[in-house]
Amino acid sequence: MALKAVLAEQIAALVDTGFTQFLSGMAKGTDVWSTLAVLSLREQNPTTKLHCILPCKEQADKWSVSSQDLYHSILDRADSIVYVGRTYYKNCMLDRNCFLVDHAAALLAVYNGERRGGTAATMRYARKMGREIIVIDPITRLISHGDIVREPAHS
């Protein structure tokens, strides 16, 4: 899928500019794809580290068996795992997202501009906290850094 390739390309570019510590909320989809790119880069560059920041122990319990298997195989290879909460509670996903922003210098997001939802809330919080934000549009795969929009290297 082209979006996965653009995501991997952006993560590699971050490694090339000196980022070595990657945090993932391990949500299904983009977060999991990102972790796979980080783990692949770690094979070539052992200073690259993956830290999984989980909202609760039950995060993947209702996922398909294959998605759970992938999730657990990633956790087995992570450099660290942090649980924001031990068990599910109403705002655990939001708290996980705030933890990610609070402990990151930059945010890489696949974001469609929707004003509601977890990604939108996380983007607003990251802006408020003054974080660098790199956004990949999931449809066009255009990449924006702040207000600058660029074509991906491999369109």
Side-chain angles (χ1 to χ4, degrees):
M1 171 189 252
L3 180 57
K4 287 182 188 177
V6 172
L7 190 58
E9 187 177 272
Q10 287 305 299
I11 292 167
L14 287 168
V15 169
D16 288 345
T17 60
F19 284 90
T20 58
Q21 307 296 313
F22 289 85
L23 309 177
S24 173
M26 290 295 292
K28 225 163 135 183
T30 302
D31 284 11
V32 169
W33 300 340
S34 298
T35 63
L36 295 173
V38 170
L39 289 170
S40 176
L41 288 165
R42 188 177 70 184
E43 290 175 16
Q44 302 149 25
N45 182 350
T47 62
T48 302
K49 304 294 182 195
L50 173 65
H51 307 284
C52 296
I53 312 303
L54 308 179
C56 59
K57 285 199 173 259
E58 305 94 339
Q59 175 168 256
D61 285 0
K62 294 181 181 174
W63 297 4
S64 69
V65 171
S66 62
S67 292
Q68 285 185 42
D69 288 347
L70 177 58
Y71 177 87
H72 291 292
S73 79
I74 292 167
L75 293 183
D76 288 345
R77 293 178 280 164
D79 293 287
S80 71
I81 301 170
V82 173
Y83 291 95
V84 174
R86 286 290 171 189
T87 58
Y88 178 85
Y89 61 93
K90 185 178 180 217
N91 288 322
C92 67
M93 304 295 179
L94 179 61
D95 290 350
R96 181 260 329 262
N97 294 348
C98 289
F99 184 101
L100 288 165
V101 171
D102 289 344
H103 293 85
L107 175 71
L108 174 61
V110 174
Y111 179 57
N112 64 2
E114 176 64 41
R115 296 179 66 139
R116 298 178 64 169
T119 305
T122 304
M123 297 271 294
R124 283 191 297 274
Y125 184 64
R127 279 191 194 99
K128 178 181 166 188
M129 298 305 290
R131 299 300 184 257
E132 177 184 352
I133 302 173
I134 304 157
V135 179
I136 302 170
D137 182 290
I139 305 301
T140 65
R141 295 181 304 282
L142 289 174
I143 300 153
S144 60
H145 295 256
D147 297 327
I148 303 162
V149 177
R150 296 183 303 138
E151 295 281 340
H154 302 290
S155 317

